[in-house]
Amino acid sequence: MAPRLNVATVKYGSAYPADYVNRMLSMLTRHLAEPFDLYCITEDPTGLDPEIKVIAPPFDVPGWWNKIFLFSPVMPQGETLYLDIDQIITGDLTPLLETCRKSRARLCAYRDPLRWMGSQVNSSWLYYRAPELSFIYDAFCRDLPGVFELEGGDQLYIWQQMKDIYFIDEAVPGAVRSFRFEVCVVEGETLQVPSDIDAHVRIVNFHGRPKPHELSQVGWVQQHWR
């Protein structure tokens, strides 16, 4: 029997309620055609679905820095997929996972559309095999506490540690879409949200605002974010 895929997400503080993680489990159940376990790194598991496996952070760090614990010993070993909880899965993830596996890269990710602070990495999707990237966590521990002054956060830090990254959104064109920059039409300060999402899209990435719960009136959000 093949090992189950480890899927992970992070919920820290009050930015997102437990409902975001529960909806992620529901979307994965519909769109991930293989056995998996969903792990959530969080300091507060209140309200999480009992099927979600909770991992407590080994020590307290602010916000997005909790993603670095993905490379720490608290994570189970094996094939691992990380997803930010503010994404909407709209289609079968198999083509993206198969692309990651065939690449044999140590890390697969999205390419950051903004190249924020010079980083090429958007850490909303990370695919790797634990504990192969434990050196990132080891470096993070050595760099404490000064690392928190790095304005680019976990994305820039990961990019500084390794640049041999396979960008899946370029390998499977159109499967991953930025809500703000690729799904919507920007007119001044206004976002024009389409009433439908293209059938070939598999994931809509909500970096920035608005977030999925602020779009409950949009039909395709109602259809997929549940």
Side-chain angles (χ1 to χ4, degrees):
M1 181 181 297
R4 295 169 68 88
L5 175 68
N6 299 324
V7 183
T9 193
V10 169
K11 183 183 83 70
Y12 177 83
S14 59
Y16 299 97
D19 182 56
Y20 265 73
V21 190
N22 296 337
R23 288 174 189 254
M24 176 59 69
L25 175 61
S26 177
M27 290 185 289
L28 287 165
T29 301
R30 294 195 302 274
H31 297 301
L32 191 53
E34 61 182 85
F36 71 93
D37 292 308
L38 178 60
Y39 295 85
C40 182
I41 299 176
T42 182
E43 84 290 359
D44 181 12
T46 305
L48 294 185
D49 188 291
E51 291 187 25
I52 297 168
K53 300 179 183 298
V54 175
I55 296 178
F59 51 90
D60 186 52
V61 297
W64 53 42
W65 290 106
N66 282 268
K67 288 188 189 180
I68 300 298
F69 294 139
L70 293 166
F71 312 115
S72 77
V74 300
M75 287 296 297
Q77 296 189 8
E79 186 181 23
T80 304
L81 170 64
Y82 169 80
L83 290 165
D84 274 359
I85 57 174
D86 60 348
Q87 298 180 93
I88 296 182
I89 303 175
T90 60
D92 181 15
L93 296 182
T94 301
L96 293 171
L97 278 171
E98 288 182 347
T99 300
C100 290
R101 288 163 176 156
K102 290 177 182 177
S103 75
R104 299 191 178 278
R106 290 194 300 168
L107 179 63
C108 299
Y110 304 150
R111 193 184 293 275
D112 188 69
L114 297 179
R115 310 297 196 269
W116 188 44
M117 304 295 294
S119 172
Q120 298 285 319
V121 174
N122 181 300
S123 60
S124 299
W125 164 296
L126 299 171
Y127 172 90
Y128 61 101
R129 296 167 185 83
E132 289 183 6
L133 302 184
S134 60
F135 64 88
I136 297 177
Y137 174 72
D138 293 340
F140 174 75
C141 290
R142 290 193 301 269
D143 291 339
L144 291 172
V147 67
F148 298 140
E149 298 177 7
L150 188 67
E151 186 177 346
D154 66 285
Q155 294 187 166
L156 181 56
Y157 192 76
I158 292 170
W159 178 247
Q160 289 177 345
Q161 300 305 312
M162 62 179 302
K163 293 183 171 60
D164 52 333
I165 297 169
Y166 186 84
F167 294 107
I168 61 161
D169 49 326
E170 296 173 0
V172 188
V176 180
R177 281 287 178 257
S178 161
F179 176 76
R180 173 170 286 274
F181 298 109
E182 295 172 316
V183 172
C184 295
V185 175
V186 180
E187 294 183 356
E189 298 296 320
T190 304
L191 289 179
Q192 298 296 327
V193 182
S195 57
D196 296 301
I197 195 77
D198 291 341
H200 64 272
V201 176
R202 310 303 171 101
I203 295 180
V204 180
N205 187 12
F206 283 79
H207 44 90
R209 308 293 299 209
K211 295 299 185 185
H213 73 274
E214 298 170 308
L215 298 163
S216 59
Q217 76 282 4
V218 179
W220 61 267
V221 174
Q222 294 178 351
Q223 176 186 354
H224 296 290
W225 193 61
R226 56 182 175 84

